[in-house]
Amino acid sequence: MPYPWQYDDWTRIQALREHWPHALLLYGQAGIGKVDFACELAQSLLCEQPRDDARACGQCAACTWFLQRNHPDFRLVCPEAVAAEATLLQANSDIGKNANGERTGDDDGASAGGKKSKAPSKEIRIEQVRALLDFCSIGSHRGGRRVVVLFPAEALNVAAANALLKTLEEPPSGVVFLLVSANVERLLPTIVSRCRQWPLAMPDAASASDWLRSQSIDDPAGVLAEAGGAPLAALAVARDEHAPLKRFTLEQLAAGPACDPFACGEALQKVPVPSVLGWLQRWLYDVLAMQTSGEPRYFPAHRNALKHVAQGATPLQVAQCLKRITQQRAVEQHPLNGRLVFEELFIHYRSMFGSNP
Ligand SMILES: [Zn+2]
């Protein structure tokens, strides 16, 4: 089933079935279920007894293989790091429901093994695309279409993108590419121009909230705001195991000049650096938003604290602090001493209030 907010896209996209494009680029904000939509579409394209509404039957041989993640005419390609993360998510919840499918694609990438000492790659590498081209060059096992879901397309490195480009220019008959991206502007324009582009809709607040309630999130408004309105991202926020430390962090940030950088370093040292940087970044965005428009975007529940903090620093000081966080985000995947990074950033944050006693 597509998510409730995707029914309209699902219905409209069926109009393409008469002349299905060989490459479709599904794009939209992160955390709205684009990959799930692509996999749903892939299953329906492979299904041998599709229903009247074009959805997969869920029971034919093709669907059975697909759901067991071993349909011979399907490939799912993503960076190793995404596959690893999705597997972790799946261990805690069901939102990574395509996770093992992703791994199937990766295993086929002929490159996943043998590098255990290295951090998983965040790129889709040329070895993965080459394996994909092998898959495209042999015939269909079931005599129907072959389908490739590739995400996030912006993770293709230059060599991989160029290798894929040749296939997109001269597509093998019967092969359908479904590329998924949350950052179309980071794709090679030549890739984009070879694809039929399809923007996936953002859910309205009501359907996003209803869906979160159906996932046992009692008070969805706060997490939905923090996730910029994207329901799957909001669910991840709600289920974040570090939520108590996020509360602690927000309390410290709310204390403004009285925050304790060393207590923060101590308390947060085991939290992944990108998580803490995300909290800091959203908090500072909201401080700036209070100064400019008077309305926080990510932490509306902390409106009063944000207002107080916003009065203690100038927009320029806040912007400089935000810039420092952004710089740190550029190297957040490097093996860093979290404690030292956090101490330094919170010292920077505290000094933001220095000349405004
Ligand atoms: Zn079926």
Side-chain angles (χ1 to χ4, degrees), residues 132-148:
L132 195 57
L133 301 187
D134 288 345
F135 163 76
C136 293
S137 67
I138 52 169
S140 162
H141 287 77
R142 296 290 292 176
R145 288 189 179 100
R146 283 162 289 159
V147 182
V148 175

Side-chain angles (χ1 to χ4, degrees), residues 43 46-51 55-64:
Q43 187 184 346
L46 292 165
C47 175
E48 293 166 6
Q49 291 161 356
R51 299 165 16 148
R55 279 175 29 212
C57 73
Q59 287 165 357
C60 69
C63 282
T64 306

Side-chain angles (χ1 to χ4, degrees), residues 306-319:
L306 285 162
K307 188 177 176 188
H308 186 70
V309 166
Q311 286 165 348
T314 67
L316 181 63
Q317 287 169 317
V318 178

Side-chain angles (χ1 to χ4, degrees), residues 3 36 86 89-99 211 215 232 235 239:
Y3 294 104
D36 291 337
L89 282 176
Q90 179 148 35
N92 293 325
S93 70
D94 61 356
I95 61 172
K97 66 181 180 181
N98 293 308
W211 180 78
Q215 303 296 309
L232 276 73
L235 187 63
R239 291 179 174 171

